[in-house]
Amino acid sequence: IERTALSPQQTLPYKLHPTIIGCLMKPPQELDEEMLEELDEFLMSEDAPEDCLQISDLDGFLTGIVVGPELIMPSEWVPCIWRGEEPNFKSADHAEHIVGIIMCRYNEIIHQLNDEPEEFWPIVHSTPDGRLLAADWIEGFMDAFGLRVDAWDDLFQDEDGRYLMGPLIALTHDKDGKSLITGTEEEQQQVRDDAAEALPVVVKGIYDFWKVRRKPHSDEEVSLGTKVGRNEPCPCGSGRKYKKCCGSN
């Protein structure tokens, strides 16, 4: 499936492997720590593309997809995880399992931000003394942001909404690896520490901002013109019912 099959306005230079397409249509599983560890091991293995997203930036990427201003279909964002290359799955069952874990986390983020925001916490690294290291997570989030840069304009133009991006920007670096914030090294570190701690609140705020502004889907129609019932699987590929996924917006 090419991106052009979903949106004639944009093209994607990648194709999804048929096995992965099948995985996206499977019902969601319940995520647990063991599954995340298994996904982490696969992403770091030689079977995954060398430059693919790792566990923390993948989590930031999935979060950016979920909270953004437009619905982005998995057929567009899944290839971004592998940087346009194909992972070396051992079998169709293995591919189903790995991609299923990714979709589990995607669904978990949606569920938590909708129904249990106090349970949402980004997957970030930490130092032995407990300091959060969110640089990789932010990089993944900004990768998702980059898929729809112009669509985020309303957030930056909103007098209240623009402040939600402050902690994210504080954790971002320019192309040369330099911080976007000023101050002494100690002051910058304190700002980054505070920004990392604020991520759950900021993410929830961004999600709520776009949830009420995102162009709603008809209860019976999706962008391809295909009618879908509220109790049918959501055509975005999440595995959730339409009424609890895109139809809820």
Side-chain angles (χ1 to χ4, degrees):
I1 295 177
E2 294 186 7
R3 174 60 182 155
T4 48
L6 295 171
S7 174
Q9 291 78 23
Q10 296 186 343
T11 59
L12 184 70
Y14 316 136
K15 292 183 178 180
L16 285 179
H17 190 280
T19 301
I20 295 179
I21 296 173
C23 296
L24 297 177
M25 302 309 293
K26 297 289 183 180
Q29 303 168 272
E30 187 171 339
L31 190 66
D32 58 37
E33 192 66 30
E34 184 177 335
M35 293 165 66
L36 286 175
E37 291 177 359
E38 188 174 354
L39 175 60
D40 188 25
E41 290 177 3
F42 177 78
L43 294 174
M44 292 190 295
S45 74
E46 294 183 356
D47 290 327
E50 183 177 358
D51 295 326
C52 75
L53 300 183
Q54 296 301 304
I55 192 70
S56 186
D57 35 341
L58 171 59
D59 192 65
F61 180 72
L62 294 177
T63 304
I65 294 294
V66 168
V67 306
E70 295 181 3
L71 169 67
I72 302 179
M73 296 294 191
S75 55
E76 179 176 354
W77 59 256
V78 168
C80 298
I81 297 172
W82 315 117
R83 300 301 193 194
E85 300 182 28
E86 287 190 9
N88 182 29
F89 295 118
K90 294 179 175 61
S91 65
D93 287 343
H94 184 224
E96 177 181 325
H97 184 63
I98 294 298
V99 178
I101 296 174
I102 294 173
M103 295 308 297
C104 276
R105 177 54 179 163
Y106 173 82
N107 287 321
E108 182 178 66
I109 294 169
I110 293 173
H111 170 72
Q112 290 176 341
L113 294 178
N114 264 327
D115 305 320
E116 298 180 321
E118 69 282 355
E119 296 295 323
F120 173 77
W121 186 261
I123 298 175
V124 297
H125 303 295
S126 62
T127 62
D129 61 358
R131 185 164 59 85
L132 301 179
L133 303 175
D136 290 344
W137 190 93
I138 286 295
E139 185 174 342
F141 187 96
M142 297 310 292
D143 282 346
F145 174 89
L147 295 178
R148 294 292 187 276
V149 175
D150 292 341
W152 284 78
D153 282 350
D154 286 352
L155 179 64
F156 288 97
Q157 296 299 323
D158 186 85
E159 189 170 335
D160 297 321
R162 71 182 66 169
Y163 293 105
L164 292 169
M165 293 299 291
L168 302 183
I169 294 173
L171 292 165
T172 305
H173 295 78
D174 64 19
K175 62 181 181 180
D176 297 319
K178 296 181 179 179
S179 175
L180 300 182
I181 55 178
T182 59
T184 66
E185 185 175 341
E186 292 77 12
E187 290 171 340
Q188 291 185 33
Q189 187 59 61
Q190 185 60 57
V191 170
R192 284 192 289 268
D193 290 345
D194 292 343
E197 292 285 352
L199 282 178
V201 175
V202 168
V203 167
K204 173 60 174 172
I206 294 173
Y207 181 75
D208 290 344
F209 178 90
W210 288 119
K211 186 173 182 180
V212 299
R213 290 167 175 80
R214 189 181 294 125
K215 183 178 179 181
H217 291 274
S218 163
D219 282 350
E220 297 296 331
E221 295 183 288
V222 295
S223 59
L224 298 180
T226 305
K227 292 190 175 182
V228 56
R230 289 178 57 76
N231 288 313
E232 293 179 5
C234 186
C236 77
S238 69
R240 293 162 61 89
K241 289 184 178 180
Y242 178 64
K243 66 182 180 181
K244 292 187 176 181
C245 190
C246 300
S248 68
N249 295 331

PDB file of all heavy atoms in Angstrom, residues 91-115:
ATOM      1  N   SER A  91       9.773 -14.429  10.749  1.00  0.00           N
ATOM      2  CA  SER A  91       8.597 -15.086  10.184  1.00  0.00           C
ATOM      3  C   SER A  91       7.440 -14.102  10.195  1.00  0.00           C
ATOM      4  O   SER A  91       7.542 -13.016  10.771  1.00  0.00           O
ATOM      5  CB  SER A  91       8.227 -16.328  11.019  1.00  0.00           C
ATOM      6  OG  SER A  91       7.835 -15.930  12.326  1.00  0.00           O
ATOM      7  N   ALA A  92       6.337 -14.505   9.585  1.00  0.00           N
ATOM      8  CA  ALA A  92       5.139 -13.665   9.599  1.00  0.00           C
ATOM      9  C   ALA A  92       4.632 -13.498  11.030  1.00  0.00           C
ATOM     10  O   ALA A  92       4.176 -12.411  11.411  1.00  0.00           O
ATOM     11  CB  ALA A  92       4.057 -14.297   8.717  1.00  0.00           C
ATOM     12  N   ASP A  93       4.728 -14.555  11.829  1.00  0.00           N
ATOM     13  CA  ASP A  93       4.286 -14.460  13.223  1.00  0.00           C
ATOM     14  C   ASP A  93       5.161 -13.485  14.010  1.00  0.00           C
ATOM     15  O   ASP A  93       4.664 -12.735  14.862  1.00  0.00           O
ATOM     16  CB  ASP A  93       4.329 -15.842  13.888  1.00  0.00           C
ATOM     17  CG  ASP A  93       3.214 -16.762  13.407  1.00  0.00           C
ATOM     18  OD1 ASP A  93       2.236 -16.240  12.814  1.00  0.00           O
ATOM     19  OD2 ASP A  93       3.319 -17.978  13.620  1.00  0.00           O
ATOM     20  N   HIS A  94       6.445 -13.505  13.717  1.00  0.00           N
ATOM     21  CA  HIS A  94       7.364 -12.579  14.397  1.00  0.00           C
ATOM     22  C   HIS A  94       7.042 -11.133  14.030  1.00  0.00           C
ATOM     23  O   HIS A  94       7.007 -10.249  14.895  1.00  0.00           O
ATOM     24  CB  HIS A  94       8.806 -12.923  14.013  1.00  0.00           C
ATOM     25  CG  HIS A  94       9.826 -12.102  14.732  1.00  0.00           C
ATOM     26  ND1 HIS A  94      10.917 -11.545  14.102  1.00  0.00           N
ATOM     27  CD2 HIS A  94       9.911 -11.722  16.033  1.00  0.00           C
ATOM     28  CE1 HIS A  94      11.637 -10.864  14.981  1.00  0.00           C
ATOM     29  NE2 HIS A  94      11.053 -10.958  16.159  1.00  0.00           N
ATOM     30  N   ALA A  95       6.781 -10.889  12.751  1.00  0.00           N
ATOM     31  CA  ALA A  95       6.417  -9.545  12.307  1.00  0.00           C
ATOM     32  C   ALA A  95       5.127  -9.096  12.967  1.00  0.00           C
ATOM     33  O   ALA A  95       5.016  -7.957  13.448  1.00  0.00           O
ATOM     34  CB  ALA A  95       6.258  -9.518  10.780  1.00  0.00           C
ATOM     35  N   GLU A  96       4.161 -10.005  13.020  1.00  0.00           N
ATOM     36  CA  GLU A  96       2.881  -9.686  13.659  1.00  0.00           C
ATOM     37  C   GLU A  96       3.078  -9.322  15.120  1.00  0.00           C
ATOM     38  O   GLU A  96       2.459  -8.381  15.635  1.00  0.00           O
ATOM     39  CB  GLU A  96       1.952 -10.886  13.533  1.00  0.00           C
ATOM     40  CG  GLU A  96       0.605 -10.696  14.215  1.00  0.00           C
ATOM     41  CD  GLU A  96      -0.275 -11.930  14.093  1.00  0.00           C
ATOM     42  OE1 GLU A  96      -0.218 -12.594  13.044  1.00  0.00           O
ATOM     43  OE2 GLU A  96      -1.003 -12.225  15.062  1.00  0.00           O
ATOM     44  N   HIS A  97       3.968 -10.039  15.782  1.00  0.00           N
ATOM     45  CA  HIS A  97       4.192  -9.811  17.204  1.00  0.00           C
ATOM     46  C   HIS A  97       4.862  -8.454  17.454  1.00  0.00           C
ATOM     47  O   HIS A  97       4.415  -7.680  18.307  1.00  0.00           O
ATOM     48  CB  HIS A  97       5.049 -10.934  17.773  1.00  0.00           C
ATOM     49  CG  HIS A  97       5.265 -10.849  19.250  1.00  0.00           C
ATOM     50  ND1 HIS A  97       4.236 -10.939  20.157  1.00  0.00           N
ATOM     51  CD2 HIS A  97       6.400 -10.649  19.980  1.00  0.00           C
ATOM     52  CE1 HIS A  97       4.717 -10.819  21.389  1.00  0.00           C
ATOM     53  NE2 HIS A  97       6.025 -10.636  21.294  1.00  0.00           N
ATOM     54  N   ILE A  98       5.916  -8.155  16.708  1.00  0.00           N
ATOM     55  CA  ILE A  98       6.657  -6.902  16.907  1.00  0.00           C
ATOM     56  C   ILE A  98       5.812  -5.689  16.552  1.00  0.00           C
ATOM     57  O   ILE A  98       5.707  -4.724  17.328  1.00  0.00           O
ATOM     58  CB  ILE A  98       7.966  -6.903  16.093  1.00  0.00           C
ATOM     59  CG1 ILE A  98       8.927  -7.978  16.613  1.00  0.00           C
ATOM     60  CG2 ILE A  98       8.627  -5.519  16.128  1.00  0.00           C
ATOM     61  CD1 ILE A  98       9.364  -7.776  18.048  1.00  0.00           C
ATOM     62  N   VAL A  99       5.183  -5.732  15.386  1.00  0.00           N
ATOM     63  CA  VAL A  99       4.334  -4.605  14.988  1.00  0.00           C
ATOM     64  C   VAL A  99       3.127  -4.506  15.918  1.00  0.00           C
ATOM     65  O   VAL A  99       2.641  -3.413  16.221  1.00  0.00           O
ATOM     66  CB  VAL A  99       3.888  -4.745  13.515  1.00  0.00           C
ATOM     67  CG1 VAL A  99       2.958  -3.595  13.120  1.00  0.00           C
ATOM     68  CG2 VAL A  99       5.106  -4.751  12.595  1.00  0.00           C
ATOM     69  N   GLY A 100       2.664  -5.653  16.403  1.00  0.00           N
ATOM     70  CA  GLY A 100       1.556  -5.645  17.353  1.00  0.00           C
ATOM     71  C   GLY A 100       1.908  -4.918  18.640  1.00  0.00           C
ATOM     72  O   GLY A 100       1.075  -4.208  19.213  1.00  0.00           O
ATOM     73  N   ILE A 101       3.153  -5.075  19.095  1.00  0.00           N
ATOM     74  CA  ILE A 101       3.583  -4.365  20.300  1.00  0.00           C
ATOM     75  C   ILE A 101       3.579  -2.856  20.056  1.00  0.00           C
ATOM     76  O   ILE A 101       3.150  -2.070  20.908  1.00  0.00           O
ATOM     77  CB  ILE A 101       4.983  -4.834  20.743  1.00  0.00           C
ATOM     78  CG1 ILE A 101       4.956  -6.308  21.137  1.00  0.00           C
ATOM     79  CG2 ILE A 101       5.485  -3.988  21.916  1.00  0.00           C
ATOM     80  CD1 ILE A 101       6.325  -6.888  21.449  1.00  0.00           C
ATOM     81  N   ILE A 102       4.058  -2.459  18.885  1.00  0.00           N
ATOM     82  CA  ILE A 102       4.062  -1.027  18.538  1.00  0.00           C
ATOM     83  C   ILE A 102       2.638  -0.476  18.540  1.00  0.00           C
ATOM     84  O   ILE A 102       2.372   0.597  19.095  1.00  0.00           O
ATOM     85  CB  ILE A 102       4.728  -0.806  17.164  1.00  0.00           C
ATOM     86  CG1 ILE A 102       6.216  -1.175  17.239  1.00  0.00           C
ATOM     87  CG2 ILE A 102       4.561   0.646  16.703  1.00  0.00           C
ATOM     88  CD1 ILE A 102       6.929  -1.156  15.904  1.00  0.00           C
ATOM     89  N   MET A 103       1.714  -1.227  17.953  1.00  0.00           N
ATOM     90  CA  MET A 103       0.328  -0.771  17.905  1.00  0.00           C
ATOM     91  C   MET A 103      -0.291  -0.791  19.305  1.00  0.00           C
ATOM     92  O   MET A 103      -1.150   0.034  19.618  1.00  0.00           O
ATOM     93  CB  MET A 103      -0.492  -1.653  16.959  1.00  0.00           C
ATOM     94  CG  MET A 103      -0.067  -1.563  15.492  1.00  0.00           C
ATOM     95  SD  MET A 103       0.010   0.138  14.853  1.00  0.00           S
ATOM     96  CE  MET A 103      -1.696   0.653  15.008  1.00  0.00           C
ATOM     97  N   CYS A 104       0.162  -1.702  20.158  1.00  0.00           N
ATOM     98  CA  CYS A 104      -0.314  -1.719  21.542  1.00  0.00           C
ATOM     99  C   CYS A 104       0.045  -0.422  22.253  1.00  0.00           C
ATOM    100  O   CYS A 104      -0.787   0.163  22.962  1.00  0.00           O
ATOM    101  CB  CYS A 104       0.318  -2.882  22.299  1.00  0.00           C
ATOM    102  SG  CYS A 104      -0.519  -4.444  22.078  1.00  0.00           S
ATOM    103  N   ARG A 105       1.279   0.011  22.073  1.00  0.00           N
ATOM    104  CA  ARG A 105       1.695   1.254  22.730  1.00  0.00           C
ATOM    105  C   ARG A 105       0.937   2.443  22.140  1.00  0.00           C
ATOM    106  O   ARG A 105       0.523   3.348  22.870  1.00  0.00           O
ATOM    107  CB  ARG A 105       3.204   1.450  22.570  1.00  0.00           C
ATOM    108  CG  ARG A 105       3.731   2.765  23.169  1.00  0.00           C
ATOM    109  CD  ARG A 105       3.324   2.935  24.635  1.00  0.00           C
ATOM    110  NE  ARG A 105       3.859   4.172  25.204  1.00  0.00           N
ATOM    111  CZ  ARG A 105       3.420   4.742  26.319  1.00  0.00           C
ATOM    112  NH1 ARG A 105       2.428   4.175  27.003  1.00  0.00           N
ATOM    113  NH2 ARG A 105       3.956   5.860  26.764  1.00  0.00           N
ATOM    114  N   TYR A 106       0.739   2.442  20.835  1.00  0.00           N
ATOM    115  CA  TYR A 106      -0.038   3.490  20.175  1.00  0.00           C
ATOM    116  C   TYR A 106      -1.447   3.568  20.772  1.00  0.00           C
ATOM    117  O   TYR A 106      -1.935   4.632  21.136  1.00  0.00           O
ATOM    118  CB  TYR A 106      -0.090   3.175  18.677  1.00  0.00           C
ATOM    119  CG  TYR A 106      -0.997   4.046  17.839  1.00  0.00           C
ATOM    120  CD1 TYR A 106      -0.573   5.298  17.391  1.00  0.00           C
ATOM    121  CD2 TYR A 106      -2.259   3.594  17.456  1.00  0.00           C
ATOM    122  CE1 TYR A 106      -1.396   6.086  16.596  1.00  0.00           C
ATOM    123  CE2 TYR A 106      -3.081   4.374  16.664  1.00  0.00           C
ATOM    124  CZ  TYR A 106      -2.644   5.617  16.231  1.00  0.00           C
ATOM    125  OH  TYR A 106      -3.476   6.391  15.450  1.00  0.00           O
ATOM    126  N   ASN A 107      -2.078   2.415  20.912  1.00  0.00           N
ATOM    127  CA  ASN A 107      -3.431   2.365  21.480  1.00  0.00           C
ATOM    128  C   ASN A 107      -3.442   2.745  22.953  1.00  0.00           C
ATOM    129  O   ASN A 107      -4.374   3.382  23.444  1.00  0.00           O
ATOM    130  CB  ASN A 107      -4.025   0.961  21.302  1.00  0.00           C
ATOM    131  CG  ASN A 107      -4.408   0.671  19.872  1.00  0.00           C
ATOM    132  OD1 ASN A 107      -4.920   1.537  19.181  1.00  0.00           O
ATOM    133  ND2 ASN A 107      -4.143  -0.540  19.419  1.00  0.00           N
ATOM    134  N   GLU A 108      -2.384   2.354  23.672  1.00  0.00           N
ATOM    135  CA  GLU A 108      -2.306   2.670  25.087  1.00  0.00           C
ATOM    136  C   GLU A 108      -2.214   4.182  25.297  1.00  0.00           C
ATOM    137  O   GLU A 108      -2.842   4.737  26.202  1.00  0.00           O
ATOM    138  CB  GLU A 108      -1.096   1.983  25.714  1.00  0.00           C
ATOM    139  CG  GLU A 108      -0.977   2.227  27.214  1.00  0.00           C
ATOM    140  CD  GLU A 108       0.205   1.495  27.819  1.00  0.00           C
ATOM    141  OE1 GLU A 108       1.359   1.847  27.468  1.00  0.00           O
ATOM    142  OE2 GLU A 108      -0.019   0.570  28.633  1.00  0.00           O
ATOM    143  N   ILE A 109      -1.436   4.853  24.456  1.00  0.00           N
ATOM    144  CA  ILE A 109      -1.317   6.313  24.558  1.00  0.00           C
ATOM    145  C   ILE A 109      -2.683   6.966  24.338  1.00  0.00           C
ATOM    146  O   ILE A 109      -3.082   7.871  25.076  1.00  0.00           O
ATOM    147  CB  ILE A 109      -0.282   6.847  23.549  1.00  0.00           C
ATOM    148  CG1 ILE A 109       1.117   6.357  23.911  1.00  0.00           C
ATOM    149  CG2 ILE A 109      -0.303   8.386  23.513  1.00  0.00           C
ATOM    150  CD1 ILE A 109       2.164   6.620  22.832  1.00  0.00           C
ATOM    151  N   ILE A 110      -3.402   6.509  23.327  1.00  0.00           N
ATOM    152  CA  ILE A 110      -4.735   7.053  23.052  1.00  0.00           C
ATOM    153  C   ILE A 110      -5.650   6.845  24.253  1.00  0.00           C
ATOM    154  O   ILE A 110      -6.329   7.768  24.708  1.00  0.00           O
ATOM    155  CB  ILE A 110      -5.343   6.382  21.805  1.00  0.00           C
ATOM    156  CG1 ILE A 110      -4.560   6.756  20.549  1.00  0.00           C
ATOM    157  CG2 ILE A 110      -6.820   6.797  21.631  1.00  0.00           C
ATOM    158  CD1 ILE A 110      -5.000   6.009  19.307  1.00  0.00           C
ATOM    159  N   HIS A 111      -5.662   5.612  24.752  1.00  0.00           N
ATOM    160  CA  HIS A 111      -6.540   5.289  25.889  1.00  0.00           C
ATOM    161  C   HIS A 111      -6.190   6.123  27.118  1.00  0.00           C
ATOM    162  O   HIS A 111      -7.078   6.677  27.776  1.00  0.00           O
ATOM    163  CB  HIS A 111      -6.438   3.801  26.224  1.00  0.00           C
ATOM    164  CG  HIS A 111      -7.097   3.427  27.505  1.00  0.00           C
ATOM    165  ND1 HIS A 111      -8.475   3.394  27.651  1.00  0.00           N
ATOM    166  CD2 HIS A 111      -6.575   3.099  28.731  1.00  0.00           C
ATOM    167  CE1 HIS A 111      -8.773   3.048  28.883  1.00  0.00           C
ATOM    168  NE2 HIS A 111      -7.639   2.873  29.561  1.00  0.00           N
ATOM    169  N   GLN A 112      -4.907   6.211  27.423  1.00  0.00           N
ATOM    170  CA  GLN A 112      -4.509   6.945  28.624  1.00  0.00           C
ATOM    171  C   GLN A 112      -4.834   8.426  28.517  1.00  0.00           C
ATOM    172  O   GLN A 112      -5.349   9.018  29.469  1.00  0.00           O
ATOM    173  CB  GLN A 112      -3.018   6.730  28.884  1.00  0.00           C
ATOM    174  CG  GLN A 112      -2.693   5.320  29.343  1.00  0.00           C
ATOM    175  CD  GLN A 112      -1.209   5.078  29.520  1.00  0.00           C
ATOM    176  OE1 GLN A 112      -0.381   5.810  28.987  1.00  0.00           O
ATOM    177  NE2 GLN A 112      -0.859   4.036  30.256  1.00  0.00           N
ATOM    178  N   LEU A 113      -4.555   9.032  27.387  1.00  0.00           N
ATOM    179  CA  LEU A 113      -4.831  10.461  27.239  1.00  0.00           C
ATOM    180  C   LEU A 113      -6.333  10.747  27.219  1.00  0.00           C
ATOM    181  O   LEU A 113      -6.773  11.811  27.654  1.00  0.00           O
ATOM    182  CB  LEU A 113      -4.168  11.011  25.969  1.00  0.00           C
ATOM    183  CG  LEU A 113      -2.631  11.008  25.982  1.00  0.00           C
ATOM    184  CD1 LEU A 113      -2.093  11.528  24.656  1.00  0.00           C
ATOM    185  CD2 LEU A 113      -2.092  11.833  27.141  1.00  0.00           C
ATOM    186  N   ASN A 114      -7.108   9.794  26.737  1.00  0.00           N
ATOM    187  CA  ASN A 114      -8.562   9.960  26.722  1.00  0.00           C
ATOM    188  C   ASN A 114      -9.190   9.700  28.079  1.00  0.00           C
ATOM    189  O   ASN A 114     -10.023  10.480  28.559  1.00  0.00           O
ATOM    190  CB  ASN A 114      -9.193   9.005  25.702  1.00  0.00           C
ATOM    191  CG  ASN A 114      -9.444   9.665  24.361  1.00  0.00           C
ATOM    192  OD1 ASN A 114      -9.734  10.845  24.273  1.00  0.00           O
ATOM    193  ND2 ASN A 114      -9.306   8.884  23.297  1.00  0.00           N
ATOM    194  N   ASP A 115      -8.774   8.589  28.705  1.00  0.00           N
ATOM    195  CA  ASP A 115      -9.504   8.091  29.863  1.00  0.00           C
ATOM    196  C   ASP A 115      -8.722   8.055  31.173  1.00  0.00           C
ATOM    197  O   ASP A 115      -9.321   8.102  32.247  1.00  0.00           O
ATOM    198  CB  ASP A 115     -10.016   6.667  29.568  1.00  0.00           C
ATOM    199  CG  ASP A 115     -10.859   6.611  28.304  1.00  0.00           C
ATOM    200  OD1 ASP A 115     -11.651   7.550  28.084  1.00  0.00           O
ATOM    201  OD2 ASP A 115     -10.723   5.628  27.542  1.00  0.00           O
TER     202      ASP A 115
END
